[in-house]
Amino acid sequence: MRVSTAYIFDQNLSAMLNKQAELGKTQLQVSTGNRILNPSDDPAGSVQILNLQREVSLSEQYLSNATKAENKQSNEEGVLDSATSMLQRVRELAVQGLNATNTQADKQAIAIEIKQLNQQLLALANTRDSNGDYLFSGFKSNTQPYGTINGDYQGDEGQRNIKVGEGVLIETNDPGNRVFEAPLISTTTTTTLSPVVTVNAGNTGDSSVVVSNYTGGTAVFSETFTFDGTNYVDGAGALYPYTAPGPTSFNLTTPPMTITFSDTPAIGDELTVSNGTGSGQASITVDSGAAETFSPISFTYQAEIIADPLAVPTPIVGVPARYQITNGSNTATVDYVEGMSVDLSKLNPSFPSLTVKLTGAPAEGDQMVIERAETSASQSMFKTIENFANALIANDVGSNSSPNNGDFLTNISASLGVVIDTRAKVGSRLNSIDQQNQINEGISLSMQKALSEIKDLDYAEAISRLSLQMTGLQAAQQSFAKVQGLSLFNYL
């Protein structure tokens, strides 16, 4: 085969350029530390690298989100810690304020400190985070949760969430109405007095009247019936014909009742029928740690039954006036003496530990009901505390001044419980964030290790290859220098 000089030059030049290209690629690998410089170097490996880089970026974003969530929850936990301390102090002051040995000046001084603490609590509820957002406004982060002590919650029920892991969402806030509001418990005494009809007689003869079937309730009325010799005449001129000795009955519509006249009246006899009510009353004098709430307790008056020795066939035994006491499932009976005090728990262990004072001149059927229950769905602790402080100043914190009496301790304890429960939830979220961070860091480390195995260069192998390629290039250059000197003209 004929080998031309041009062909020799072309072959040697191509060999040197290839060697230089291989050497340049290896040098670039060594300088960057990457095994794959172009997707064409390893198509399958390039796809794996893209997937792994995406997972690593996602893990890093989760870690960044977790840091933001942790900062927000740490801020909230600090606020709740301060609120807990303040509520505990308010409760201590309330115990002092309810002590009967306090002077009015003492109560006012306690009330002033309680009001100051209440203002601090309000400021805590309106705390902002580092971005200027209100912590306790729900989704309405630019709206102040509580404008004033007696104001209503202005935020909403929203809870913002942030993703800190695959399928893991963490709440970053709590709405203020779930933190600073609680149901209000109050003890109430409801009195229902029975109607009583009385008859007053102004007689020269022997007139009498009996009233029955009275259904007029407590509407006040008074009606006088005057005998004219044949009829009883009321104030409106209505006639009730009567012939002695009676009895003769008439049904009235206003007021609704039946009147029965009898005996031997004289002209001018007057019979005045009027109504009124009993005056039974019940008031709590001692609350010895009764349950937070209890079933309604009713006191129903039963008038005295007088013994009738002439009754046939058996005399009616006399029964003293008494109160029937029940909570629906348990009952007790106590003889009534004006102004008496009754310890309910001694009457029946199933009753709450209350001492109740019974007063007045009750009528048959008079009823008083004592109940301790939630009086509203919720109320802000600021309003509850403010009302109690005002009651202290006004010296209106007696046993029957609910909820600004011993019930306040129950209500402030409920508010404290809500704050502590929320703080526990925040602590749980912080623990979840820490645990998820460990998971994310582990995933990130695993992905980076896998990425390194595919992407990173084996320096030992690359340096050896670089050295070999440099030697090959030098040999190609040197051999070309020899070959290019070959010519027939050198031998002629």
Side-chain angles (χ1 to χ4, degrees), residues 52-65 163-166 440 444:
L52 289 170
Q53 285 177 335
R54 181 180 64 82
E55 292 297 328
V56 170
S57 298
L58 192 58
S59 295
E60 290 174 351
Q61 184 61 55
Y62 286 152
L63 289 169
S64 176
N65 289 351
K163 196 171 185 178
V164 297
E166 189 62 36
N440 291 338
S444 179

Side-chain angles (χ1 to χ4, degrees), residues 174-195:
D174 289 282
N177 61 338
R178 298 187 194 174
V179 181
F180 300 101
E181 297 184 8
L184 187 68
I185 290 176
S186 180
T187 303
T188 57
T189 301
T190 304
T191 301
T192 303
L193 300 178
S194 297

Side-chain angles (χ1 to χ4, degrees), residues 98 184-188 372-373 375 379 383-384 387-388 391 396-412:
L98 291 170
L184 187 68
I185 290 176
S186 180
T187 303
T188 57
R372 178 172 296 168
T375 59
Q379 178 172 289
K383 189 181 297 185
T384 301
N387 290 342
F388 177 73
D396 185 20
V397 290
S399 298
N400 295 286
S401 300
S402 183
N404 296 317
N405 55 4
D407 287 343
F408 174 76
L409 300 179
T410 300
N411 290 323
I412 205 63

Side-chain angles (χ1 to χ4, degrees), residues 282-348:
S283 58
I284 299 172
T285 58
V286 178
D287 181 347
S288 303
E292 183 174 305
T293 59
F294 51 77
S295 301
I297 304 168
S298 64
F299 299 73
T300 304
Y301 184 73
Q302 298 173 341
E304 180 180 6
I305 300 177
I306 306 299
D308 184 359
L310 301 179
V312 177
T314 305
I316 299 176
V317 178
V319 178
R322 57 179 53 191
Y323 272 102
Q324 181 82 15
I325 306 172
T326 181
N327 64 359
S329 56
N330 302 282
T331 60
T333 303
V334 59
D335 294 345
Y336 176 64
V337 177
E338 162 66 21
M340 68 186 302
S341 292
V342 179
D343 185 340
L344 297 184
S345 62
K346 290 184 177 179
L347 288 179
N348 191 315

Side-chain angles (χ1 to χ4, degrees), residues 262-281:
S262 61
D263 297 323
T264 306
I267 295 175
D269 280 359
E270 293 183 351
L271 299 171
T272 301
V273 178
S274 61
N275 79 329
T277 60
S279 58
Q281 296 291 326

